[in-house]
Coordinates of all heavy atoms in Angstrom, one line a residue:
G1 N -82.4 -142.9 -27.9 CA -82.8 -141.6 -27.3 C -84.1 -141.1 -27.8 O -84.6 -141.4 -28.9
R2 N -84.7 -140.3 -26.9 CA -86.0 -139.7 -27.1 C -86.1 -139.0 -28.5 O -87.0 -139.1 -29.2 CB -86.4 -138.8 -26.0 CG -87.7 -138.0 -26.2 CD -87.9 -137.0 -25.2 NE -88.2 -137.6 -23.9 CZ -88.0 -137.0 -22.7 NH1 -87.5 -135.8 -22.6 NH2 -88.4 -137.7 -21.6
Q3 N -85.0 -138.2 -28.7 CA -85.1 -137.3 -29.9 C -85.1 -138.2 -31.2 O -85.9 -137.9 -32.1 CB -83.8 -136.4 -30.0 CG -83.9 -135.5 -31.2 CD -82.8 -134.5 -31.1 OE1 -82.1 -134.2 -30.1 NE2 -82.5 -133.8 -32.3
E4 N -84.3 -139.2 -31.2 CA -84.3 -140.1 -32.4 C -85.6 -140.9 -32.6 O -86.1 -141.0 -33.7 CB -83.1 -141.1 -32.3 CG -82.8 -141.8 -33.6 CD -81.5 -142.6 -33.6 OE1 -80.7 -142.5 -32.7 OE2 -81.4 -143.5 -34.5
I5 N -86.2 -141.3 -31.4 CA -87.5 -142.0 -31.4 C -88.5 -141.0 -32.0 O -89.3 -141.4 -32.9 CB -87.8 -142.5 -30.0 CG1 -86.8 -143.6 -29.6 CG2 -89.3 -143.0 -30.0 CD1 -86.9 -143.9 -28.1
A6 N -88.5 -139.8 -31.5 CA -89.5 -138.8 -31.9 C -89.4 -138.5 -33.4 O -90.3 -138.5 -34.2 CB -89.4 -137.6 -31.1
E7 N -88.1 -138.3 -33.9 CA -87.9 -137.9 -35.2 C -88.2 -139.0 -36.2 O -88.8 -138.8 -37.3 CB -86.4 -137.5 -35.4 CG -86.1 -136.1 -34.8 CD -84.6 -135.8 -34.8 OE1 -83.8 -136.6 -35.3 OE2 -84.3 -134.7 -34.3
M8 N -87.9 -140.3 -35.9 CA -88.3 -141.4 -36.7 C -89.8 -141.6 -36.8 O -90.3 -141.8 -37.9 CB -87.6 -142.7 -36.2 CG -88.0 -143.9 -37.0 SD -87.6 -143.8 -38.8 CE -85.8 -144.2 -38.7
H9 N -90.4 -141.4 -35.7 CA -91.9 -141.6 -35.7 C -92.6 -140.4 -36.4 O -93.5 -140.6 -37.2 CB -92.5 -141.8 -34.3 CG -92.2 -143.2 -33.8 ND1 -91.1 -143.6 -33.3 CD2 -93.0 -144.3 -33.9 CE1 -91.1 -144.9 -33.0 NE2 -92.3 -145.3 -33.4
D10 N -92.0 -139.2 -36.3 CA -92.5 -138.1 -37.0 C -92.4 -138.4 -38.5 O -93.4 -138.2 -39.3 CB -91.8 -136.8 -36.7 CG -92.4 -135.6 -37.4 OD1 -93.6 -135.3 -37.2 OD2 -91.6 -134.9 -38.1
L11 N -91.3 -138.8 -39.0 CA -91.1 -139.2 -40.4 C -92.1 -140.3 -40.8 O -92.8 -140.2 -41.8 CB -89.7 -139.7 -40.6 CG -89.4 -140.3 -42.0 CD1 -89.5 -139.2 -43.1 CD2 -88.0 -140.9 -42.0
M12 N -92.2 -141.3 -40.0 CA -93.0 -142.5 -40.4 C -94.5 -142.1 -40.4 O -95.3 -142.6 -41.2 CB -92.8 -143.7 -39.4 CG -91.4 -144.2 -39.6 SD -90.9 -144.7 -41.2 CE -91.9 -146.0 -41.6
F13 N -94.9 -141.2 -39.4 CA -96.3 -140.8 -39.4 C -96.7 -139.9 -40.6 O -97.8 -139.8 -41.0 CB -96.6 -140.0 -38.1 CG -96.6 -140.9 -36.9 CD1 -96.3 -140.3 -35.6 CD2 -96.8 -142.3 -36.9 CE1 -96.3 -141.1 -34.5 CE2 -96.7 -143.0 -35.7 CZ -96.5 -142.4 -34.5
R14 N -95.7 -139.3 -41.2 CA -95.9 -138.5 -42.4 C -95.8 -139.4 -43.7 O -96.1 -138.9 -44.8 CB -94.9 -137.3 -42.5 CG -95.2 -136.3 -41.5 CD -94.3 -135.0 -41.6 NE -93.0 -135.4 -41.1 CZ -91.9 -135.4 -41.8 NH1 -91.9 -135.2 -43.1 NH2 -90.7 -135.7 -41.2
T15 N -95.3 -140.6 -43.6 CA -95.0 -141.4 -44.8 C -95.7 -142.8 -44.6 O -96.9 -142.9 -44.8 CB -93.5 -141.5 -45.0 OG1 -92.8 -142.1 -43.9 CG2 -92.9 -140.1 -45.4
M16 N -94.9 -143.8 -44.3 CA -95.3 -145.2 -44.3 C -96.4 -145.5 -43.3 O -97.2 -146.5 -43.5 CB -94.1 -146.2 -44.1 CG -93.1 -146.1 -45.2 SD -93.7 -146.3 -46.9 CE -94.2 -148.0 -46.8
L17 N -96.5 -144.8 -42.2 CA -97.5 -145.0 -41.2 C -98.6 -144.0 -41.2 O -99.4 -143.8 -40.3 CB -96.9 -145.1 -39.8 CG -95.9 -146.3 -39.6 CD1 -95.2 -146.3 -38.3 CD2 -96.7 -147.7 -39.8
Y18 N -98.6 -143.2 -42.3 CA -99.6 -142.1 -42.4 C -101.0 -142.6 -42.2 O -101.4 -143.6 -42.8 CB -99.5 -141.4 -43.7 CG -100.5 -140.3 -44.0 CD1 -100.3 -139.1 -43.3 CD2 -101.6 -140.5 -44.8 CE1 -101.2 -138.0 -43.5 CE2 -102.5 -139.5 -45.0 CZ -102.3 -138.3 -44.3 OH -103.2 -137.2 -44.5
G19 N -101.8 -142.0 -41.3 CA -103.2 -142.4 -41.1 C -103.4 -143.6 -40.3 O -104.6 -144.0 -40.1
T20 N -102.4 -144.3 -39.8 CA -102.6 -145.5 -39.1 C -103.1 -145.2 -37.7 O -102.9 -144.1 -37.2 CB -101.3 -146.4 -39.0 OG1 -100.3 -145.6 -38.4 CG2 -100.8 -146.8 -40.4
R21 N -103.6 -146.2 -37.1 CA -104.0 -146.1 -35.7 C -103.4 -147.3 -34.9 O -103.2 -148.4 -35.5 CB -105.5 -146.0 -35.5 CG -106.3 -147.2 -35.8 CD -107.8 -146.9 -35.8 NE -108.6 -148.1 -35.8 CZ -108.8 -148.9 -36.9 NH1 -108.3 -148.6 -38.0 NH2 -109.6 -149.9 -36.7
L22 N -103.0 -147.1 -33.7 CA -102.4 -148.1 -32.9 C -103.4 -148.8 -32.1 O -104.2 -148.2 -31.3 CB -101.3 -147.5 -32.0 CG -100.4 -148.4 -31.2 CD1 -99.6 -149.2 -32.2 CD2 -99.5 -147.6 -30.3
I23 N -103.5 -150.1 -32.3 CA -104.5 -151.0 -31.6 C -103.7 -151.7 -30.5 O -102.9 -152.6 -30.8 CB -105.1 -152.0 -32.5 CG1 -105.8 -151.3 -33.7 CG2 -106.2 -152.8 -31.8 CD1 -106.9 -150.3 -33.4
A24 N -104.0 -151.4 -29.3 CA -103.4 -152.2 -28.2 C -104.4 -153.3 -27.8 O -105.5 -153.1 -27.6 CB -103.2 -151.3 -26.9
H25 N -103.8 -154.5 -27.8 CA -104.7 -155.7 -27.5 C -104.6 -156.1 -26.1 O -105.4 -155.6 -25.3 CB -104.3 -156.9 -28.4 CG -104.9 -156.8 -29.8 ND1 -106.0 -157.5 -30.1 CD2 -104.6 -156.1 -30.9 CE1 -106.3 -157.2 -31.3 NE2 -105.5 -156.4 -31.8
D26 N -103.7 -156.9 -25.8 CA -103.7 -157.5 -24.4 C -102.4 -157.1 -23.7 O -101.4 -157.0 -24.3 CB -103.8 -159.0 -24.5 CG -105.1 -159.5 -25.1 OD1 -106.1 -159.0 -24.7 OD2 -105.0 -160.5 -25.9
I27 N -102.6 -156.9 -22.4 CA -101.4 -156.7 -21.6 C -101.2 -158.1 -21.0 O -102.0 -158.7 -20.3 CB -101.7 -155.7 -20.4 CG1 -101.9 -154.3 -21.0 CG2 -100.5 -155.8 -19.4 CD1 -102.3 -153.3 -20.0
E28 N -100.1 -158.7 -21.5 CA -99.8 -160.1 -21.1 C -99.1 -160.2 -19.7 O -99.4 -161.2 -19.0 CB -98.9 -160.7 -22.1 CG -99.6 -160.8 -23.5 CD -98.7 -161.5 -24.6 OE1 -97.5 -161.4 -24.5 OE2 -99.3 -162.1 -25.5
S29 N -98.3 -159.2 -19.3 CA -97.8 -159.2 -18.0 C -97.3 -157.8 -17.6 O -96.9 -157.0 -18.4 CB -96.6 -160.2 -17.9 OG -95.5 -159.8 -18.7
V30 N -97.4 -157.6 -16.3 CA -96.8 -156.4 -15.7 C -96.0 -156.9 -14.5 O -96.6 -157.5 -13.6 CB -97.9 -155.4 -15.2 CG1 -97.3 -154.2 -14.4 CG2 -98.8 -154.9 -16.4
R31 N -94.7 -156.6 -14.5 CA -93.9 -157.1 -13.5 C -93.0 -156.0 -12.9 O -92.2 -155.4 -13.6 CB -93.0 -158.3 -14.0 CG -92.2 -159.0 -12.9 CD -91.5 -160.2 -13.5 NE -90.8 -160.0 -14.7 CZ -89.4 -159.8 -14.7 NH1 -88.8 -159.8 -13.6 NH2 -88.8 -159.7 -15.8
Q32 N -93.2 -155.7 -11.7 CA -92.4 -154.7 -11.0 C -91.1 -155.3 -10.5 O -91.2 -156.3 -9.8 CB -93.2 -154.0 -9.9 CG -92.5 -152.7 -9.4 CD -93.5 -151.7 -9.0 OE1 -94.7 -151.9 -9.0 NE2 -93.0 -150.5 -8.5
V33 N -90.0 -154.9 -11.1 CA -88.7 -155.5 -10.7 C -87.9 -154.6 -9.8 O -86.8 -155.0 -9.4 CB -87.9 -155.8 -12.0 CG1 -88.6 -156.9 -12.9 CG2 -87.6 -154.5 -12.8
G34 N -88.5 -153.6 -9.3 CA -87.8 -152.7 -8.4 C -88.8 -151.6 -8.0 O -89.9 -151.5 -8.7
E35 N -88.5 -150.8 -7.1 CA -89.4 -149.7 -6.7 C -89.7 -148.8 -7.8 O -90.8 -148.3 -8.0 CB -88.9 -149.0 -5.5 CG -89.8 -148.0 -4.9 CD -89.3 -147.4 -3.6 OE1 -89.3 -148.1 -2.6 OE2 -88.9 -146.2 -3.6
D36 N -88.7 -148.6 -8.7 CA -88.8 -147.6 -9.8 C -88.6 -148.2 -11.2 O -88.2 -147.5 -12.1 CB -87.8 -146.5 -9.6 CG -88.1 -145.7 -8.3 OD1 -89.3 -145.4 -8.1 OD2 -87.2 -145.4 -7.6

């Protein structure tokens, strides 16, 4: 759930991931498997 994802990342951004930046490299694939 969104709340648990947000809370864990909030904790991690204040502790073990403090000051990190996210580097997105390559998009290997995009596959639409339905309209939505």
Side-chain angles (χ1 to χ4, degrees):
R2 174 188 289 157
Q3 183 173 344
E4 193 172 346
I5 294 165
E7 289 172 358
M8 176 59 78
H9 282 83
D10 183 58
L11 171 67
M12 296 307 292
F13 293 154
R14 289 183 286 113
T15 58
M16 298 304 294
L17 294 174
Y18 179 75
T20 59
R21 67 188 196 283
L22 190 60
I23 306 297
H25 275 262
D26 296 318
I27 295 173
E28 295 181 332
S29 68
V30 175
R31 186 169 54 94
Q32 193 143 0
V33 294
E35 190 171 286
D36 296 316

